[in-house]
Amino acid sequence: MKILKKYDIIKFLMILITFTMIITGLNVILINEKECIAKADDKKIQSFNQDSETFKKNIFIHIFNKSLAVLELDYKEKIGNNSDSFVKYAFNKIINFDYKNPKSYLKAQISLLKGVEDEIKIASKDSEEINSEDYDTSDIYIPEEYSNQKAVVDDEDYYKEPEKNTTFKANSFQIEKSNQTKQDKKSIENISSSSPKNLKIISTPVPPPEKIEHDKNKPLILIYHTHGTEAYYPEKIGNYHSLNSKYTVIRVGDILTKYLLDKGYKVIHDTTIHDYPSYQGSYKRSLQTMKKYIKDNPDLKIFIDIHRDGIDKIAEIEKNRKKKYDEMRKNSYIRINGEKVSRFALVVGGGNKNVDKLKRFAYYIKAVSDELYPGLSRPVILKNRRYNRYNQFMSNYCVLFEVGSNLNTIDESVRAAKYIGEVLDKSLKGFVKLN
């Protein structure tokens, strides 16, 4: 008889639990309808319904929480006394379901759908201005005391014309094997102590971009920085990101701007920080900057976005893989007139409809660079994913420069700006006519 009673008690508890789960499910199904009714009724009815719902749900909360201690702890931490949201919260936890977004259930059960939806967002026709180049990057931490400061150093020497008795050292750099081309091999083989005037044309002939006729009194070039906090050695703070322009790509832009102004071009240098406090959305913000200048200066044609390349875990490599670090460091510069000069790379976004014209512009600049200073330019980097645009759809004369990396010093990169200026001057003379 006692055994029978125990069995009856267990049976009763099982029925009670089953009944409880059914009621819980009905509450979730009907909860939106009740919320709508409550909003439509006056305040008194709304208050009455809320009190009633709170009382009923508190029964289920108590049952769930006491059956699983971890659930009670998590509930109190995230929900607190807001018992109205418990059922929604429990469903969200159990099956990753957001009642406000029914698609969340499908994505939780079929993980492939999440990836497909993200890809659709990136590739949608109306997302021309949605940039995902920096989608996975994180916020940058820079202490408050490192506020944006103007460089106080004297850069007068860097503004001077490059010397014409330039000499090169062949052993001061190597082209990466994975990206090495016949053109780069020729560049290495032809490095000598000759003056650039006497150098033979060693690059493959590249046709210049489409001709531009421009009023010499109106701005032609915009230099800006999507990632303006990118810094060089010795500014290690913030993982080589700084608001002190003395050590960043902004200073490189200053030198390049001054050189091109001296050559007679009308140049605007925008020093807006687009990547602080967050990298995410940097390109969207720099796009707005471009549009602002185009609105005020509709004759702008050439857009130069200056960055520096980034090497991950550079301190770890230097400490634990010294040979590898030394090799990377040696590949990061060439010697001109006995001084170390950061190498640069041109980046083209393959996700742009005008990619062929962008490539023509970039390869032409590289060909001129190979003539003047073999090895100064790395191979052109073509990013082929659909979301790799870098705002280059704004003009057929957009180019992204990666001047050096965090392996380079600020002095090496500032020197590079002078030589890049000479390369750009000669390149522009090949297809720009100033009236």
Side-chain angles (χ1 to χ4, degrees):
M1 194 67 176
K2 290 181 179 180
I3 296 175
L4 183 60
K5 285 183 178 179
K6 287 182 179 179
Y7 175 77
D8 288 341
I9 292 171
I10 294 171
K11 185 177 179 181
F12 173 75
L13 289 174
M14 292 298 294
I15 292 171
L16 179 61
I17 291 172
T18 302
F19 178 74
T20 300
M21 295 302 294
I22 291 172
I23 296 300
T24 303
L26 289 173
N27 271 341
V28 173
I29 293 171
L30 298 175
I31 196 163
N32 283 335
E33 181 181 352
K34 290 182 179 180
E35 285 180 354
C36 291
I37 293 171
K39 289 177 182 178
D41 292 334
D42 59 30
K43 291 182 179 179
K44 291 182 180 179
I45 297 176
Q46 182 179 358
S47 177
F48 175 82
N49 286 342
Q50 286 177 346
D51 291 342
S52 177
E53 288 299 311
T54 300
F55 174 77
K56 287 188 292 183
K57 289 174 187 175
N58 279 336
I59 296 175
F60 304 130
I61 291 171
H62 186 74
I63 292 172
F64 281 123
N65 285 348
K66 293 307 176 184
S67 62
L68 289 172
V70 67
L71 184 59
E72 181 178 21
L73 181 64
D74 197 34
Y75 168 74
K76 287 180 178 179
E77 182 180 325
K78 296 187 177 180
I79 301 299
N81 294 322
N82 184 10
S83 56
D84 276 348
S85 61
F86 174 76
V87 177
K88 303 174 191 176
Y89 171 73
F91 244 57
N92 184 287
K93 280 291 183 183
I94 295 168
I95 61 173
N96 293 324
F97 173 65
D98 180 1
Y99 81 101
K100 292 182 179 179
N101 181 16
K103 288 189 295 182
S104 63
Y105 176 78
L106 293 174
K107 289 194 287 184
Q109 304 308 311
I110 309 174
S111 58
L112 178 64
L113 289 179
K114 186 179 186 303
V116 170
E117 185 180 45
D118 291 342
E119 185 70 15
I120 289 172
K121 285 180 181 177
I122 290 169
S124 61
K125 292 182 180 179
D126 60 348
S127 64
E128 189 73 354
E129 296 181 6
I130 297 176
N131 291 278
S132 300
E133 293 89 342
D134 47 15
Y135 182 79
D136 292 326
T137 53
S138 57
D139 292 351
I140 301 168
Y141 171 71
I142 303 175
E144 290 183 6
E145 59 266 27
Y146 290 86
S147 58
N148 197 10
Q149 305 169 28
K150 291 290 183 182
V152 294
V153 295
D154 183 7
D155 284 328
E156 193 62 36
D157 289 340
Y158 293 118
Y159 291 130
K160 293 179 181 177
E161 183 89 14
E163 297 178 23
K164 294 305 178 184
N165 59 339
T166 306
T167 58
F168 305 91
K169 278 194 176 181
N171 63 351
S172 63
F173 71 95
Q174 297 174 348
I175 305 293
E176 297 81 10
K177 292 181 181 179
S178 59
N179 293 322
Q180 192 168 353
T181 63
K182 291 181 179 178
Q183 181 173 326
D184 291 312
K185 288 179 180 178
K186 289 182 180 179
S187 298
I188 297 171
E189 292 168 0
N190 283 274
I191 294 174
S192 66
S193 59
S194 305
S195 166
K197 285 185 176 180
N198 300 323
L199 282 174
K200 295 180 180 179
I201 296 177
I202 58 176
S203 55
T204 304
V206 176
E210 294 178 3
K211 298 286 185 181
I212 292 177
E213 289 198 13
H214 189 79
D215 184 342
K216 64 181 180 181
N217 296 313
K218 295 181 179 180
L220 171 68
I221 303 167
L222 172 65
I223 296 175
Y224 66 102
H225 310 272
T226 297
H227 295 156
T229 67
E230 290 178 334
Y232 301 92
Y233 186 87
E235 189 75 342
K236 296 182 180 181
I237 193 75
N239 191 24
Y240 290 92
H241 288 87
S242 176
L243 294 175
N244 186 349
S245 60
K246 175 181 176 180
Y247 298 105
T248 70
V249 291
I250 291 178
R251 185 171 165 205
V252 174
D254 284 338
I255 305 300
L256 178 58
T257 299
K258 179 64 167 58
Y259 185 92
L260 292 174
L261 286 171
D262 288 345
K263 289 296 180 179
Y265 302 100
K266 293 291 183 181
V267 185
I268 298 172
H269 182 206
D270 179 80
T271 59
T272 303
I273 301 292
H274 300 104
D275 59 330
Y276 180 79
S278 176
Y279 250 28
Q280 189 170 349
S282 301
Y283 280 95
K284 188 173 182 180
R285 290 187 286 274
S286 66
L287 177 62
Q288 296 308 310
T289 294
M290 293 176 73
K291 287 183 173 182
K292 178 188 73 173
Y293 282 106
I294 291 172
K295 182 179 179 180
D296 295 338
N297 306 276
D299 292 308
L300 277 171
K301 292 290 191 300
I302 298 168
F303 300 86
I304 301 173
D305 190 3
I306 299 180
H307 296 241
R308 64 122 176 90
D309 197 4
I311 310 297
D312 290 334
K313 300 180 180 179
I314 188 171
E316 183 180 320
I317 295 172
E318 183 178 11
K319 181 179 178 181
N320 301 323
R321 304 173 63 189
K322 192 64 168 63
K323 186 176 180 181
K324 174 69 174 177
Y325 175 83
D326 291 342
E327 181 183 348
M328 293 168 63
R329 170 68 180 133
K330 192 175 182 180
N331 290 341
S332 71
Y333 63 85
I334 66 170
R335 287 187 182 273
I336 303 178
N337 291 326
E339 294 182 312
K340 294 176 182 177
V341 178
S342 296
R343 300 175 68 199
F344 73 86
L346 302 169
V347 181
V348 175
N352 295 290
K353 294 178 182 178
N354 59 336
V355 61
D356 289 337
K357 293 181 179 179
L358 295 170
K359 285 164 63 178
R360 185 172 173 179
F361 184 37
Y363 279 106
Y364 183 70
I365 294 172
K366 174 170 170 53
V368 173
S369 179
D370 288 344
E371 282 184 39
L372 294 174
Y373 303 106
L376 178 61
S377 173
R378 297 180 184 274
V380 173
I381 299 170
L382 178 63
K383 299 282 191 176
N384 275 320
R385 295 200 177 189
R386 283 176 289 179
Y387 56 78
N388 291 135
R389 292 190 293 274
Y390 309 110
N391 297 334
Q392 293 174 344
F393 51 82
M394 293 296 290
S395 170
N396 295 332
Y397 305 96
C398 286
V399 65
L400 190 158
F401 273 87
E402 284 189 344
V403 181
S405 72
N406 48 346
L407 283 165
N408 294 105
T409 68
I410 181 62
D411 288 337
E412 292 166 356
S413 299
V414 165
R415 290 186 198 111
K418 175 176 61 174
Y419 296 106
I420 291 171
E422 185 182 5
V423 168
L424 284 173
D425 177 40
K426 183 168 183 180
S427 299
L428 296 178
K429 285 177 178 174
F431 65 94
V432 176
K433 182 182 179 182
L434 298 177
N435 298 319

